[in-house]
Amino acid sequence: MERRNFLLGAAATSAALTTTTTAASSASAEAAPALALPVPAQPPALGAAGKDFAKVGGNFANQNHSTLSRVTPRNVKRLGGAWHLNLEGGSTSAYQQCTVVAQNGVLYVETTQQNLFAVDGRTGDIRWKVSLGTETTNMRGVALGAGRVYSISGANIVYALDQKTGAILWKKPLIVEDNGGDDGCDNNSGQCGGNSGGLAGAVIYHDGRIYIGTEGSTAGARGRGYALDAASGDIVWTFWGPPGPGEFGHDTWAGDSWKTGGAVPWIHPAVDPELDLVYWTFGNPYPRTDGSSRAGDNLFANSIVAIEAKTGKRRWHFQSVHHDIWDMDNVMAPVLADLLVEGRKRKVVVYGSKTCHYYILDRATGEPVHGIEERKVPQHTLQKTSPTQPFPGGEPFVRPAPSLDDTTRPVPFYQATGLFGVHWDRATISFPGAGGGADWGFPSFSPKTGYVYVGYGLVNSAYSNAQGGRVNTARPLGEYFSGGIVAMDPRTNTVAWRKEGDWSLAHGNGILTTAGRLMFQGRPDGVLEAMDDTDGRTLWTWQCGAGVNTIPISYEVEGEQYIAVLAGGNGLPFPDIPKGDHLWAFKLDGTIEQSPAPTPPSRRNQIRTAAVAGESVKNTVTLGRVWDSKTNAPGTTENLVTQNAMSPQHLTVSVGTTVTFTNPADNAKAHGAVQFFEAEFDTGLLMPGQSFTHTFTDPGEYFYNDPPYPQNTGKIVVK
């Protein structure tokens, strides 16, 4: 077979794909749009963050808005460090996802290392510190209520501590050990086979109860949300993501697939005290990219459920993705707001994230405020796909399909698709995917502008059914990442403005808005930004020393407004986000200097295997083989499904070096190596026993992949 050049064909396929999609409006952040006003007064029962920011999300509505107004666009450049604290002695061993809460001038914050702190909000002095164990997990924030601080732990124990002293008042082990995956159910826990999962999300307190979520859908946990008695820790009710026999929605799971169905609520809920409803979002089903074993819509996966606060009974639900096979779980902290829609006051809940759509629902009934159209979507018989998917009125906040014009440009030779495209045994790039859209970037609703603000990511995924060791990657090697911020008008569910930038801002990068007409958001490179809430213009920046993947907050002590944030990095979507333990507080004319800038994460999904010097392998890359690190040589068998069947996967050479690409004679299949996106070299298809050479004349980083098996990716660094 003659060698062929695939690059043009791959580009043409992708171009054809993107021209069939409808782009969302993309008003520039440089143009000052009209605001989404007027906004009716928000119900007092939802609470408001002002002097205190006593709940993750700011209030029961998760509006992440502060009524403080001393810091404004006119004086924000005077903002400086009031104090700075390294909570874990400067450790960079773990990332931090905890949003700070503040009450009566004291901050409460916890670390991945399982330490919980009370910190003086004016001085930064530690009032008390308590260790909750040694088994680490994501700690996303504590709850305050009835003079207590409530927290989860990595050991799946819930703690209640005295708010003044840190003394442990009670603790409740909440999740039993795995029961071995047998066919029965644990009578005490309701866990039915598979993995029992873990506790997750910020803790929420309301009316004598605390609400705690779970994680573990990728391991086959059966998701559930807990309500506990805040005084004793006793379980008041449990709401299961996949319903059991006799429960509403059980018939949407084939056979026993509900037992390991996932659908975990891993982000905290919202609460409407007047309606006495808890709004919780539930994640993707399990297996997450293979629907063949779980025919049906798979409730309550990919759903928001309105749950009666006292009883745990379902009042209504809305499912945003039927029979998900894309990890588009739409788990987020729902935002409650009162709006004027076509002159009528509406009590709404704003839901949605990864699909690039918001679903704006009546929070009493679940009725879609802007309508829902069930549209026919691509089908795959083996995946048992749903014939239709729900599309809300309005428009997506980001175009839900790959594009050649931004970082969703597909890595060549993959099949590529947009929202609700299908895959099976061949890795297929899709956008939005596991890390696209708004993912879990906590939104803010500002009554001063009427906008809902959220960060988003332009990050592709590449999925197959994962059977037989097939590649199943949330982020294809060599792809680029970016993202931005969007302001949505919830009255019409349309884009007011969008501001794109270098960083994905959808993984815990929450937004705080204030009555001073500012919005604050952190970035993966450690920079905290203050922006004009009218159009997103950057007014002030601060280097915090580690990635900022939490929600900034505002509070007041002795008449002084402070901004605070925990900067500790994250692991997604950039694996190399700088980690740390930096707790910052800012005020006007603060004198503490910025942190030194850490090494920013790569904007590309890097190959992170150890580099192999070219001269040690005779400047040769062997195709279709996995590198054996024990023998420092290519493996002896051909591999068609992995991402690293280039031997070595990471090669370093000097300028002027000629590199040989070879397909061993005892391989059964043709292979190739095509450099992307710069088209530096193209071996074409090499039959077993054939080779190709290329001489590198310029320094650089050159990614390449194998056209028949595009997940198989390598990198050559030329120095």
Side-chain angles (χ1 to χ4, degrees):
M1 180 184 294
E2 295 183 1
R3 293 186 288 116
R4 297 174 56 197
N5 187 318
F6 286 80
L7 194 58
L8 180 60
T13 300
S14 297
L17 169 73
T18 58
T19 56
T20 63
T21 64
T22 301
S25 52
S26 56
S28 169
E30 298 175 359
L35 302 179
L37 300 175
V39 174
Q42 300 301 293
L46 295 178
K51 179 177 180 290
D52 297 331
F53 201 100
K55 175 191 170 294
V56 175
N59 63 356
F60 291 125
N62 288 325
Q63 291 179 347
N64 285 307
H65 178 79
S66 171
T67 60
L68 299 180
S69 59
R70 186 179 180 194
V71 183
T72 70
R74 290 188 175 185
N75 63 22
V76 69
K77 289 185 178 179
R78 291 168 43 202
L79 209 60
W83 52 263
H84 167 255
L85 184 62
N86 289 112
L87 293 174
E88 296 291 347
S91 171
T92 58
S93 64
Y95 54 75
Q96 310 294 340
Q97 296 184 354
C98 178
T99 291
V100 185
V101 295
Q103 190 173 64
N104 298 326
V106 179
L107 309 187
Y108 300 89
V109 61
E110 55 192 353
T111 62
T112 303
Q113 290 91 331
Q114 303 297 286
N115 290 312
L116 198 163
F117 300 82
V119 180
D120 189 294
R122 185 178 65 84
T123 66
D125 294 335
I126 296 176
R127 297 276 188 94
W128 52 257
K129 171 185 174 183
V130 175
S131 173
L132 302 180
T134 59
E135 189 170 342
T136 61
T137 192
N138 297 322
M139 307 287 274
R140 297 193 174 113
V142 303
L144 306 177
R148 303 183 186 95
V149 182
Y150 301 94
S151 176
I152 65 169
S153 72
N156 295 323
I157 298 172
V158 182
Y159 286 86
L161 296 85
D162 185 281
Q163 192 168 343
K164 291 183 178 179
T165 67
I168 295 174
L169 302 177
W170 58 256
K171 56 183 180 179
K172 171 77 172 182
L174 203 54
I175 293 184
V176 299
E177 295 294 326
D178 295 359
N179 68 351
D182 57 71
D183 292 332
C185 290
D186 183 282
N187 291 329
N188 294 320
S189 72
Q191 181 65 34
C192 301
N195 184 292
S196 59
L199 301 182
V203 184
I204 299 302
Y205 173 92
H206 171 251
D207 193 25
R209 291 177 295 275
I210 57 174
Y211 300 101
I212 295 171
T214 54
E215 62 187 3
S217 64
T218 58
R222 184 184 175 211
R224 63 278 207 193
Y226 293 103
L228 272 59
D229 185 296
S232 64
D234 294 338
I235 297 175
V236 178
W237 51 257
T238 303
F239 190 93
W240 292 94
E247 296 177 330
F248 181 93
H250 177 69
D251 59 352
T252 64
W253 296 83
D256 288 339
S257 60
W258 62 277
K259 293 183 176 181
T260 55
V264 296
W266 53 275
I267 294 293
H268 63 274
V271 180
D272 186 330
E274 293 180 335
L275 295 174
D276 206 29
L277 292 176
V278 177
Y279 303 88
W280 227 327
T281 61
F282 290 78
N284 55 277
Y286 176 85
R288 65 174 178 166
T289 63
D290 181 358
S292 61
S293 64
R294 48 174 173 82
D297 282 351
N298 305 144
L299 293 176
F300 294 101
N302 308 80
S303 298
I304 183 170
V305 185
I307 304 169
E308 294 180 359
K310 291 184 176 65
T311 67
K313 294 181 179 179
R314 179 193 68 93
R315 178 74 59 83
W316 59 259
H317 76 277
F318 173 79
Q319 188 177 50
S320 57
V321 180
H322 310 316
H323 191 80
D324 179 23
I325 59 171
W326 307 275
D327 192 13
M328 285 195 295
D329 48 352
N330 282 334
V331 168
M332 48 87 78
V335 177
L336 312 184
D338 281 14
L339 307 173
L340 288 177
V341 180
E342 296 180 345
R344 176 187 172 194
K345 185 177 178 179
R346 301 297 300 267
K347 293 179 175 293
V348 308
V349 53
V350 181
Y351 163 58
S353 65
K354 286 188 184 179
T355 60
C356 299
H357 289 88
Y358 274 134
Y359 311 85
I360 300 177
L361 311 171
D362 184 292
R363 61 179 188 263
T365 66
E367 173 195 358
V369 172
H370 303 298
I372 290 289
E373 179 186 0
E374 287 282 346
R375 299 180 190 170
K376 293 181 179 180
V377 292
Q379 294 296 291
H380 196 290
T381 301
L382 296 177
Q383 284 281 24
K384 297 182 169 60
T385 44
S386 171
T388 65
Q389 294 289 351
F391 287 78
E395 65 181 356
F397 52 80
V398 175
R399 181 174 58 185
S403 170
L404 295 179
D405 300 326
D406 57 33
T407 57
T408 64
R409 177 182 181 181
V411 172
F413 310 113
Y414 279 91
Q415 296 179 6
T417 185
L419 185 64
F420 302 129
V422 294
H423 58 262
W424 183 240
D425 57 353
R426 184 175 175 85
T428 300
I429 281 180
S430 67
F431 178 83
D439 205 347
W440 57 287
F442 300 103
S444 175
F445 170 73
S446 172
K448 294 294 183 180
T449 65
Y451 292 151
V452 174
Y453 305 88
V454 73
Y456 62 85
L458 298 175
V459 182
N460 289 338
S461 293
Y463 284 138
S464 72
N465 58 25
Q467 296 177 10
R470 291 186 178 94
V471 67
N472 201 25
T473 174
R475 293 153 193 89
L477 292 173
E479 76 170 0
Y480 287 94
F481 304 140
S482 68
I485 304 169
V486 64
M488 291 291 290
D489 183 341
R491 302 172 306 171
T492 56
N493 202 20
T494 55
V495 174
W497 54 260
R498 187 166 52 230
K499 176 183 177 181
E500 294 197 352
D502 293 331
W503 303 108
S504 173
L505 300 173
H507 290 77
N509 311 91
I511 293 177
L512 168 73
T513 58
T514 72
R517 303 304 304 277
L518 292 169
M519 52 187 291
F520 293 85
Q521 186 185 42
R523 305 190 321 217
D525 61 347
V527 172
L528 178 67
E529 284 189 86
M531 292 162 276
D532 189 302
D533 68 3
T534 301
D535 53 22
R537 287 180 298 117
T538 299
L539 303 175
W540 171 89
T541 61
W542 190 271
Q543 177 52 250
C544 295
V548 184
N549 292 82
T550 59
I551 313 169
I553 73 164
S554 189
Y555 62 97
E556 183 179 278
V557 180
E558 298 176 357
E560 184 84 60
Q561 182 181 356
Y562 292 80
I563 306 295
V565 73
L566 177 62
N570 195 9
L572 296 172
F574 309 91
D576 52 350
I577 296 174
K579 301 178 180 66
D581 61 346
H582 301 269
L583 180 60
W584 280 97
F586 308 95
K587 67 177 183 178
L588 294 176
D589 303 318
T591 58
I592 304 298
E593 297 292 332
Q594 302 182 48
S595 291
T599 301
S602 173
R603 297 190 182 106
R604 199 167 192 181
N605 194 20
Q606 286 291 333
I607 289 172
R608 303 181 188 280
T609 54
V612 175
E615 59 268 20
S616 69
V617 291
K618 300 181 180 179
N619 298 318
T620 297
V621 174
T622 302
L623 307 179
R625 301 293 178 92
V626 176
W627 183 255
D628 188 335
S629 59
K630 294 181 180 178
T631 62
N632 290 320
T636 57
T637 58
E638 187 177 21
N639 190 306
L640 307 179
V641 297
T642 189
Q643 293 187 88
N644 62 337
M646 302 286 191
S647 288
Q649 189 184 26
H650 182 185
L651 186 73
T652 59
V653 299
S654 300
V655 169
T657 300
T658 298
V659 172
T660 299
F661 299 86
T662 185
N663 187 3
D666 55 347
N667 274 352
K669 302 292 185 179
H671 293 276
V674 180
Q675 198 276 324
F676 63 91
F677 294 100
E678 298 79 14
E680 170 72 16
F681 59 85
D682 179 356
T683 70
L685 274 184
L686 301 175
M687 300 303 292
Q690 291 185 326
S691 297
F692 176 88
T693 61
H694 178 76
T695 301
F696 290 90
T697 58
D698 297 305
E701 179 183 67
Y702 299 95
F703 283 83
Y704 62 95
N705 65 345
D706 186 348
Y709 312 100
Q711 79 284 347
N712 181 19
T713 308
K715 180 176 76 171
I716 297 174
V717 176
V718 181
K719 300 180 179 179

